């Protein structure tokens, strides 16, 4: 595009720029500037002891990120956390959507009740479940003892169980979103397809894999992408259920670990570098997934 | 009301209902549990009973949080005489911290909602209707912001607010919340505007309506469902946000609900009942709104941002 065409496009769309200007001012102030600032800090030695007299140290902080074995441990933990959560969110969500998509008396009531976990603010979910995991008085141990006759579990003081507790909490929190998306997707699949399949004698199982699954995919793939990003970065649940990584900083995922480095240990430069690495991981994933989405839509 | 299908067997239905009941119990139990705890009288807070509603249910926890009785009224009146509205407010928050958090959160959430709806409705319209230079890039940049880990913006924002001397004020909070809700809201609005036929606008333009008037008199009213969803999302985002508030606000008088309730919960042994009652009160408005609007949510989400 040459200069005159550029100028003409600009003139024709002057109003468009006016419409987006306020939003982008706010985003520039709260998102773009901090983002650039974060990049600067990541190349510096800024910390509590070098708060004002910080200087550039090149790639030193990145070297620290990648040479500390802890990073790889946390990365794997975060991957596992994301995979386990997403697996349950999607399977439970799609399964419930399938059940609720058929004519069923009481369907609206079930749908409303099943959406409830989504409607409750995340921090309340996390704090409430933390209370339910209390060793002596928490409902989970009481149910295990009194209903199922099982031994109580040290939910919050054992690293493995603390992880499990946070995962259970997050599964509870996340399946309604997938259910709602899947319901929306199912409603857009024409019934005639199933009628035709019935005529051809296809079993319910065959119908699911040949009609439902492929037609649901274009709706679910973007939702899963979002889900992966949200879960990978889900600070609230892990932080609040484990009360800041307890016991002994053993229940962190990457994002909660960075928060601890910033606001408890004041390792600003290191934390900024690690934040950028996390973003890089998600960006790479996001680009790959968005491409794939486009591909599926083209086929569809 | 959907009816039973004759082609489906009775056992299938029994199975479906059994599964639905189990999952629904899982979904609803924590909510019932927190309501149950909020109704426990003080001496029943630590109980090993699994009864959801305690035998001598009491509203004591709620009363401790919100009842404005004679002594409180006197303190507030004294505060009013000393320092007017602000003084009265200070006295109230000292006597009833929960009321203070509630008012703070309400103020912040409403301002964030107003700001987000205004900004997202205009920006979304530009993205839907104009082919301006930088459009596609900006849309992708908006999605990219969803991948930022909280700390990446929080640390610089924290340092920045300290330098600008707006640390510990609501301005930082309101702008930060609006900005975090915006990318999603703009995509949501854009997706909805895309479904509003352009011919309506052309007709209005031929009748001599200005560009801007066409937008706010013709298109905006048609986009009402999307505006409502946008408002809901930004309200919930601000009402439920814990992390940014925990970092930006450290003056007790300025606490919002999430940081306040967290205080109750950290003293699990002593204030479990107050936490539970507070949690129930916090949930009532959002859950009501959410359920009321959930019908629109299903169509709104699939039409809008998620489908891209």
């Amino acid at each position: 595009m040459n200069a005159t065409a550029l100028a003409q496009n600009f003139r024709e769309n002057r109003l468009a720029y006016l419409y987006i200007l306020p939003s982008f001012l706010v985003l520039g102030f709260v998102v773009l500037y901090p983002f650039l600032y974060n990049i600067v800090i990541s190349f510096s030695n800024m910390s509590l002891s070098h708060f004002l007299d910080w200087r550039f140290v090149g790639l030193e902080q990145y070297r620290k990120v990648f040479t500390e074995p802890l990073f790889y441990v946390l990365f794997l933990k975060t991957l596992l956390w994301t995979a386990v959560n997403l697996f349950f969110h999607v399977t439970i969500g799609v399964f419930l959507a399938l059940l609720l998509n058929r004519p069923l008396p009481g369907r609206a009531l079930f749908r409303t009740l099943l959406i409830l976990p989504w409607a409750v603010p995340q921090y309340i979910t996390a704090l409430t479940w933390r209370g339910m995991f209390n060793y002596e008085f928490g409902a989970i141990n009481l149910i295990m003892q009194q209903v199922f006759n099982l031994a109580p579990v040290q939910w919050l003081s054992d690293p493995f169980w603390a992880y499990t507790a946070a995962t259970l909490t997050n599964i509870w929190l996340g399946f309604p979103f997938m259910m709602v998306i899947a319901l929306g997707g199912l409603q857009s699949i024409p019934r005639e397809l199933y009628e035709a399949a019935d005529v051809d004698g296809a079993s319910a199982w065959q119908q699911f894999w040949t009609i439902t699954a492929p037609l649901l995919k274009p709706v679910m793939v973007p939702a899963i992408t979002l889900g992966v990003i949200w879960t990978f970065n889900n600070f609230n649940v892990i932080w609040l259920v484990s009360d800041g990584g307890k016991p002994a900083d053993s229940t962190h995922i990457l994002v909660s670990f960075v928060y601890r480095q910033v606001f408890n240990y004041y390792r600003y430069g290191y934390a900024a570098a690690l934040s950028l690495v996390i973003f890089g991981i998600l960006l790479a994933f996001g680009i790959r997934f968005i491409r794939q989405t486009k591909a599926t839509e083209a086929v569809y | 009301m959907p009816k039973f299908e004759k082609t489906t067997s009775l056992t299938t239905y029994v199975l479906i209902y059994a599964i639905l009941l189990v999952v629904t119990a899982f979904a609803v139990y924590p909510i019932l549990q927190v309501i149950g705890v909020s109704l426990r009288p003080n001496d029943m807070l630590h109980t090993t009973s699994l009864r959801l509603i305690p035998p001598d249910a009491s509203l004591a926890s709620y009363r401790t949080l919100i009842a404005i009785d004679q002594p409180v009224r006197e303190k507030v009146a004294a505060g009013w005489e000393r320092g007017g509205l602000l003084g009265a407010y200070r006295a109230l928050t000292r006597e009833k911290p929960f009321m203070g958090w509630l008012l703070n959160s309400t103020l912040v959430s409403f301002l964030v909602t107003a700001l987000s709806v205004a900004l997202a409705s205009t920006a979304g319209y530009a993205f839907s209707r104009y082919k301006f230079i930088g459009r596609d890039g900006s849309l992708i940049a908006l999605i990219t912001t969803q991948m930022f880990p909280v700390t990446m913006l929080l640390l610089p924002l924290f340092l920045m607010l300290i330098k600008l001397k707006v640390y510990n004020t609501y301005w930082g909070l309101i702008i930060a919340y609006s900005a975090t809700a915006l990318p999603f809201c703009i995509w949501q609005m854009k997706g909805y505007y895309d479904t509003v036929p352009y011919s309506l606008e052309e007709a209005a333009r031929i009748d001599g309506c200005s560009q801007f008037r066409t937008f706010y008199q013709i298109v905006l009213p048609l986009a009402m469902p999307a505006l409502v969803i946008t408002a809901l999302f930004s309200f919930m985002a601000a009402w439920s946000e814990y992390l940014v508030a925990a970092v930006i606000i450290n003056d007790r008088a300025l606490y919002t609900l999430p940081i306040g309730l967290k205080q109750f919960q950290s003293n699990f042994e002593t204030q479990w009942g107050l936490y539970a009652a507070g949690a129930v009160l916090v949930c009532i408005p959002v859950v009501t709104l959410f359920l009321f609007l959930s019908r629109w949510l299903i169509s709104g989400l699939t039409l809008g941002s998620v489908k891209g």
Side-chain angles (χ1 to χ4, degrees), chain A residues 92-144:
Chain A
I92 299 177
V94 171
F95 185 64
L96 289 174
L98 286 171
L99 293 187
L100 290 173
N101 194 44
R102 53 171 68 223
L104 196 74
R107 179 168 80 167
L109 178 69
F110 277 117
R111 202 170 54 195
T112 310
L113 291 176
L114 287 170
I115 276 184
L116 277 176
W118 186 9
V120 174
Q122 241 186 33
Y123 75 97
I124 290 191
T125 303
L127 293 175
T128 303
W129 278 82
R130 182 173 164 76
M132 298 204 322
F133 283 119
N134 181 280
Y135 181 75
E136 269 176 286
F137 309 114
I140 309 277
N141 270 352
L142 294 178
I143 290 177
M144 287 175 51

Side-chain angles (χ1 to χ4, degrees), chain B residues 156-176:
Chain B
L157 198 67
F158 170 71
L159 301 173
M160 203 166 90
L161 293 177
I162 291 180
K163 277 187 195 148
L164 289 173
K165 302 201 186 342
V166 285
Y167 176 68
N168 220 350
T169 68
Y170 288 148
W171 293 114
L173 213 53
I174 289 166
I175 295 189

Side-chain angles (χ1 to χ4, degrees), chain A residues 6 15 17 22-23 30 33-34 37-38 104-105 110 123-124 127-128 134 146 172 222 229 235 259 268 275 279, chain B residues 13 17 24 26-27 48 119 130 133 146 148 151-152 155-156 160 163 175 211 240 243 265 268 275 290 306:
Chain A
L6 243 159
L15 203 60
Y17 290 106
S23 300
V30 184
Y33 180 77
Y37 193 11
N38 188 76
L104 196 74
F110 277 117
Y123 75 97
I124 290 191
L127 293 175
T128 303
N134 181 280
Q146 296 177 17
W172 183 82
I229 293 166
F235 172 86
Y259 182 84
Y268 295 139
S275 296
F279 170 59
Chain B
Y13 270 114
Y17 276 106
T24 309
F26 173 64
T48 49
L119 296 182
Y130 294 87
I133 297 159
Q146 300 297 300
F148 289 179
T151 43
M152 197 164 85
L155 162 64
M160 203 166 90
K163 277 187 195 148
I175 295 189
Q211 270 190 328
S240 326
L243 185 59
Q265 221 272 358
F268 177 81
Y275 162 76
F290 203 90
V306 172

Side-chain angles (χ1 to χ4, degrees), chain A residues 16-27:
Chain A
Y17 290 106
L18 267 179
Y19 281 137
I20 64 166
L21 185 67
S23 300
F24 279 74
L25 277 180
V26 173
L27 287 170

Side-chain angles (χ1 to χ4, degrees), chain A residues 81 84-94 96 114-120 122 125 129 166-182 220 223-224 226-228 230-231 234 237, chain B residues 26-27:
Chain A
W81 156 263
V84 172
N85 274 303
L86 254 291
F87 173 78
F88 283 106
H89 289 167
V90 175
T91 44
I92 299 177
V94 171
L96 289 174
L114 287 170
I115 276 184
L116 277 176
W118 186 9
V120 174
Q122 241 186 33
T125 303
W129 278 82
T167 309
L168 278 173
T169 306
N170 201 45
I171 291 172
W172 183 82
L173 188 94
F175 78 83
F177 174 74
M178 292 296 172
M179 182 187 84
V180 167
I181 300 290
M220 291 312 287
I224 293 172
L226 268 182
V228 167
W230 287 338
T231 313
N234 191 326
V237 172
Chain B
F26 173 64

